Amino acid sequence: MTAPVLPEQRRHTRIVATLGPATDPPGVLEAILRAGVDVVRLNFSHGDPSAQVARGEAVREMASRIGREVGILADLPGPKIRVETFAEGKVSLKAGHRFDLVASLDAPPGDASQVGVSYLELPGDVAPGDVLLLDDGIVQLQVATVEGERIVTTVLNDCVLSNRKGLNKQGGGLSLGAITERDRELIAIAAGMQVDFIAVSFCRNADDMQEARRVARAHGSGAALVAKIERTEAIENLAEIVDASDVVMVARGDLGVEIGDAELPGLQKKIIREAVAREKVVITATQMLQSMVDSPMPTRAEVLDVANAVIDGTDAVMLSQESAAGSWPVRAVETMARICLGAERQFAVDIDFEKARRGLERADQAIAMATMFLSEHIGVRAVVAMTESGGTARYLSRFRSSVPIYAFSHHANARRRMALMRDVFPMDYDSRGQTPREAARGSIRLLVEAGLLTSGDRVVFTSGEHMETKGATNTLRLLEIGADGHATGLGEL
């Protein structure tokens, strides 16, 4: 049985934390999980995959030991374009000077006049006048001419460029696909680890997501697919990408470089709205508490950034370098949890059912809408959902209610996927062989015993007529907890 979520710990927004050297020392992993991490991110862009496999095994063992449902997200590197290395590790560039990018396997070690690039097709993707942004936009180069495999640029600002820094084209337009051969190898490793989520970096369209899904399924992985929105093309194809994915990530680093910082806040809100409207889970990521890499306290701007993402309706907020390599990984998680709780307390939920999705095709979607309508208009303490795959919980959570959703399943992988859903608290319960009424009594009794429900509380209970059948939720019951802790039916649909 999963440890119950106590009322004072009832944070509705989820926390994703990246593992790395800072979380490897003894005791740190347990501390960040206890501090509130719901999903861990394994960044396969860095280090040997064997280190990430070991971290994944440690997460499974620790989550089981402390009684937490913790998902694992494997983040693929994707087709990140980088400059190659410099003879002396770095160079100083001056505005107005010429600097060449050489797209060749035989490019010499870099110096103040040139450096190799990892993407050999880059000369065909750029033209005179294009601006190339390196090292998250710190280095700005304007293309002057393209001479075979050599891209001649003019440096636009005084800067320092060092080994293996990333390269983006301002405004997008690079033709490289999202799934590299290296990604395919790493998907096979992630499948062997039985990760719960696989994140696809630099996806451009629905085809990229469908290709990743085919590769994952071919290796036996049932992981949910996460689309990282970080290219201009992804914004142009946002609706189709969301539909082709299970989860969407607002990857603000490379996205901000390509589209410009001024456009980023509005696009963040747009991506979150689009994901929720299309009934998909959404993560907001990148530099949310960046100052906590070195400082034990966040800036006020960072506090507002996290809080605004919560108010915008994100399912989860993510820590990257703050937890993976920072000096204060546990405190960063504690801070994130505290900010989320504060934002949730200040934010009054008012569900606009007029904007709810029309033309529902599934009974479980209709039951979810009816459940949340009841919860808002007659007042209930909780929603209790019996679910096989977590689909019912996802539909319920899209309405962004203040009412907690206790989602019961005996499938561990379903509970771990639900750990990423806002408002949802996954719990272990085996309803096999039970009728819906028996499952209602048993699950509600557990909530009463855990102190989550008490006499007089009303709850909405959802299940299927035929238990343990995926996608079969078609029944809604309004129940009230009696003085003896048993639930009494007030109505049924």
Side-chain angles (χ1 to χ4, degrees):
M1 167 59 65
T2 304
V5 182
L6 299 178
E8 62 270 18
Q9 300 171 325
R10 196 178 290 154
R11 171 175 41 82
H12 288 243
T13 309
R14 300 295 169 234
I15 294 175
V16 182
T18 306
L19 301 189
T23 61
D24 288 342
V28 178
L29 176 60
E30 178 177 0
I32 67 167
L33 296 188
R34 290 190 183 277
V37 171
D38 301 288
V39 174
V40 299
R41 170 177 173 254
L42 304 178
N43 187 359
F44 279 90
S45 295
H46 300 295
D48 190 292
S50 62
Q52 305 296 8
V53 172
R55 289 177 179 132
E57 292 172 349
V59 169
R60 289 281 190 253
E61 180 183 347
M62 184 58 66
S64 175
R65 186 188 307 172
I66 67 176
R68 290 285 313 281
E69 300 293 355
V70 180
I72 296 178
L73 185 155
D75 197 338
L76 303 176
K80 181 76 171 180
I81 302 175
R82 298 183 185 276
V83 299
E84 299 295 354
T85 58
F86 292 90
E88 298 183 2
K90 62 181 179 180
V91 296
S92 295
L93 302 179
K94 297 295 182 181
H97 288 192
R98 171 175 169 168
F99 186 73
D100 294 0
L101 301 173
V102 184
S104 169
L105 292 174
D106 299 325
D111 56 29
S113 67
Q114 65 180 2
V115 72
V117 291
S118 61
Y119 178 42
L120 302 186
E121 305 302 318
L122 184 61
D125 283 352
V126 299
D130 287 344
V131 174
L132 303 179
L133 304 169
L134 291 76
D135 194 7
D136 290 336
I138 294 174
V139 179
Q140 302 174 20
L141 309 175
Q142 185 167 49
V143 177
T145 62
V146 179
E147 302 173 357
E149 63 188 19
R150 183 174 293 269
I151 302 168
V152 179
T153 77
T154 301
V155 181
L156 297 181
N157 62 310
D158 292 351
C159 54
V160 175
L161 181 60
S162 55
N163 295 340
R164 302 292 296 163
K165 293 302 182 183
L167 181 153
N168 297 81
K169 178 182 174 184
Q170 190 174 72
L174 298 178
S175 61
L176 71 175
I179 307 299
T180 67
E181 287 306 312
R182 180 57 173 161
D183 288 338
R184 294 174 186 275
E185 296 170 2
L186 292 171
I187 288 174
I189 293 172
M193 296 170 61
Q194 297 184 333
V195 301
D196 307 292
F197 307 91
I198 295 175
V200 179
S201 298
F202 303 102
C203 64
R204 303 162 300 170
N205 48 39
D207 289 343
D208 285 339
M209 298 308 300
Q210 289 161 355
E211 180 182 0
R213 194 179 298 275
R214 284 193 295 270
V215 176
R217 300 301 180 258
H219 287 288
S221 172
L225 271 291
V226 182
K228 294 174 66 177
I229 308 300
E230 50 192 339
R231 293 173 75 165
T232 302
E233 295 88 343
I235 296 296
E236 296 167 355
N237 301 316
L238 183 59
E240 69 172 62
I241 290 175
V242 174
D243 285 341
S245 309
D246 304 296
V247 182
V248 176
M249 182 188 293
V250 189
R252 305 183 305 179
D254 284 282
L255 181 61
V257 172
E258 287 211 359
I259 66 167
D261 291 339
E263 303 298 322
L264 191 57
L267 283 176
Q268 173 176 309
K269 294 176 185 293
K270 176 182 178 180
I271 295 166
I272 292 172
R273 283 197 306 269
E274 193 78 14
V276 174
R278 293 177 178 272
E279 299 177 332
K280 301 300 172 70
V281 178
V282 57
I283 306 167
T284 304
T286 316
Q287 296 185 340
M288 303 210 78
L289 297 177
Q290 184 66 19
S291 69
M292 291 195 73
V293 172
D294 301 306
S295 169
M297 295 291 291
T299 66
R300 293 291 181 268
E302 290 168 339
V303 171
L304 289 170
D305 181 32
V306 175
N308 278 322
V310 173
I311 293 169
D312 286 343
T314 192
D315 284 271
V317 286
M318 192 174 95
L319 297 168
S320 299
Q321 191 177 2
E322 305 96 323
S323 57
S327 301
W328 308 91
V330 180
R331 187 168 292 189
V333 175
E334 293 170 343
T335 300
M336 186 77 89
R338 187 172 66 252
I339 297 169
C340 290
L341 283 166
E344 291 166 2
R345 282 195 297 269
Q346 298 298 325
F347 181 52
V349 178
D350 184 15
I351 301 175
D352 187 354
F353 286 95
E354 290 300 317
K355 294 182 180 179
R357 183 175 176 180
R358 297 292 189 268
L360 301 178
E361 299 175 354
R362 299 167 55 106
D364 47 2
Q365 291 174 311
I367 289 295
M369 182 180 291
T371 296
M372 301 318 293
F373 187 90
L374 271 179
S375 72
E376 288 296 302
H377 288 82
I378 67 171
V380 299
R381 179 66 64 182
V383 173
V384 181
M386 308 303 296
T387 180
E388 275 290 291
S389 64
T392 299
R394 175 165 57 86
Y395 294 137
L396 289 165
S397 72
R398 297 310 87 192
F399 288 94
R400 295 298 188 261
S401 171
S402 59
V403 176
I405 300 162
Y406 296 108
F408 288 85
S409 175
H410 75 272
H411 297 287
N413 56 353
R415 296 196 303 273
R416 292 193 297 264
R417 285 194 298 268
M418 289 189 287
L420 192 58
M421 299 175 188
R422 182 165 171 161
D423 304 332
V424 176
F425 301 92
M427 302 187 77
D428 185 5
Y429 184 79
D430 192 349
S431 61
R432 286 175 292 187
Q434 294 185 342
T435 66
R437 291 184 183 277
E438 290 170 337
R441 286 196 296 269
S443 58
I444 289 174
R445 183 175 63 252
L446 290 175
L447 294 173
V448 171
E449 292 172 352
L452 299 173
L453 295 176
T454 189
S455 175
D457 286 345
R458 291 180 174 184
V459 301
V460 180
F461 178 85
T462 69
S463 67
E465 273 186 276
H466 304 288
M467 302 294 289
E468 307 305 319
T469 303
K470 182 179 178 180
T473 298
N474 62 1
T475 303
L476 177 158
R477 293 183 177 88
L478 178 61
L479 306 172
E480 184 173 302
I481 311 302
D484 57 0
H486 291 99
T488 303
L490 298 177
E492 182 173 324
L493 285 177

